[in-house]
């Protein structure tokens, strides 16, 4: 695995071919709690090649105040480095609905969520598999999460390559997983969220044949350069 310090707080690329891959994971601060253990967990789950790109304050598609690359720009950057996978997992949304990004104003309608996510799906391409985690919020954050999820649910009709990973339902009966702000995680919640993300990456990434090829075929090509 290689580390890159300049583009963001946490980027790891692993070129090892395993059962599930290649795949890219895009996240924000909600995914940073156990970030350093994530590459090891992905490798143990048979994921690879993979690229993990987590950044505090990341927007899905809007420019913002010096926080680094939004998700659209992160996909472009990965491709410029030679990582262009057939599958993506995205765990974002809070930065945009909490209005930490620049204009346009906070995305707080279902149609606004569609407009927010569409540029990322367009950048990735309709020929790629994409899974987006929906949101779970407590107290004052609950209506914002529900609004985001309503907009997200509208997208698969136009983008049949899109799957929604239901983090909201998975965490619904566990308010103790969340910090006081209603959306960041603490303790066991960080562990459970990362486990959910790893499972989602396994399910999203294509399955790569492992072992020797059949005798009547040529060996598979080497993995793409990083």
């Amino acid at each position: 695995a290689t580390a890159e310090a300049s583009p963001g707080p946490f980027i790891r690329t692993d070129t090892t071919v395993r059962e599930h891959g290649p795949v890219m994971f895009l996240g924000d601060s909600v995914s940073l709690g156990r970030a350093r253990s994530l590459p090891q967990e992905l490798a143990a789950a048979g994921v690879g090649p993979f690229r993990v790109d987590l950044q505090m304050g990341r927007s899905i598609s809007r420019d913002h105040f010096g926080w680094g690359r939004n998700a659209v720009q992160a996909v472009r950057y990965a491709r410029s480095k030679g990582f262009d996978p057939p599958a993506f997992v995205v765990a974002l949304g809070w930065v945009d609905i909490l209005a930490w990004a620049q204009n346009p104003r906070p995305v707080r309608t279902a149609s606004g969520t569609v407009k927010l996510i569409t540029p990322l799906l367009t950048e990735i391409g309709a020929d790629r598999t994409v899974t987006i985690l929906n949101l779970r919020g407590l107290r004052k954050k609950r209506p914002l999460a529900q609004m985001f999820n309503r907009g997200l649910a509208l997208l698969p009709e136009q983008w049949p390559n899109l799957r929604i990973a239901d983090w909201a339902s998975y965490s619904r009966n566990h308010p103790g997983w969340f910090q006081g702000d209603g959306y960041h995680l603490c303790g066991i919640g960080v562990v459970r969220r990362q486990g959910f993300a790893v499972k989602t990456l396994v399910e999203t990434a294509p399955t790569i044949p492992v072992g020797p090829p059949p005798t009547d075929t040529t060996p598979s090509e080497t993995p793409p350069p990083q």
Side-chain angles (χ1 to χ4, degrees), residues 1 13 36 38 70 90-91 106 112 128 133 141 143 156 209 215 219 223:
T13 302
R36 295 193 179 279
L38 181 55
N70 63 32
V90 179
R128 311 301 168 99
L133 276 65
K141 303 299 193 301
T215 55

Side-chain angles (χ1 to χ4, degrees), residues 81-131:
K81 294 296 183 179
F83 196 85
D84 188 12
F88 293 78
V89 173
V90 179
L92 296 167
W94 282 112
V95 170
D96 294 292
I97 62 178
L98 292 174
W100 294 343
Q102 287 181 356
N103 292 329
R105 304 183 90 181
V107 184
R108 293 185 175 176
T109 64
S111 61
T113 298
V114 170
K115 292 178 182 178
L116 173 74
I117 298 174
T118 295
L120 176 60
L121 297 175
T122 302
E123 181 68 32
I124 290 173
D127 60 336
R128 311 301 168 99
T129 300
V130 184
T131 300

Side-chain angles (χ1 to χ4, degrees), residues 132-168:
I132 299 180
L133 276 65
N134 64 14
L135 302 183
R136 167 70 171 159
L138 303 184
R139 296 176 291 278
K140 293 181 179 180
K141 303 299 193 301
R142 184 178 292 114
L144 293 175
Q146 292 172 336
M147 175 279 305
F148 180 90
N149 294 344
R150 285 194 296 272
L152 180 59
L154 297 174
L155 283 162
E157 182 175 353
Q158 180 180 357
W159 296 88
N161 61 319
L162 173 62
R163 170 180 171 266
I164 299 170
D166 196 359
W167 165 248

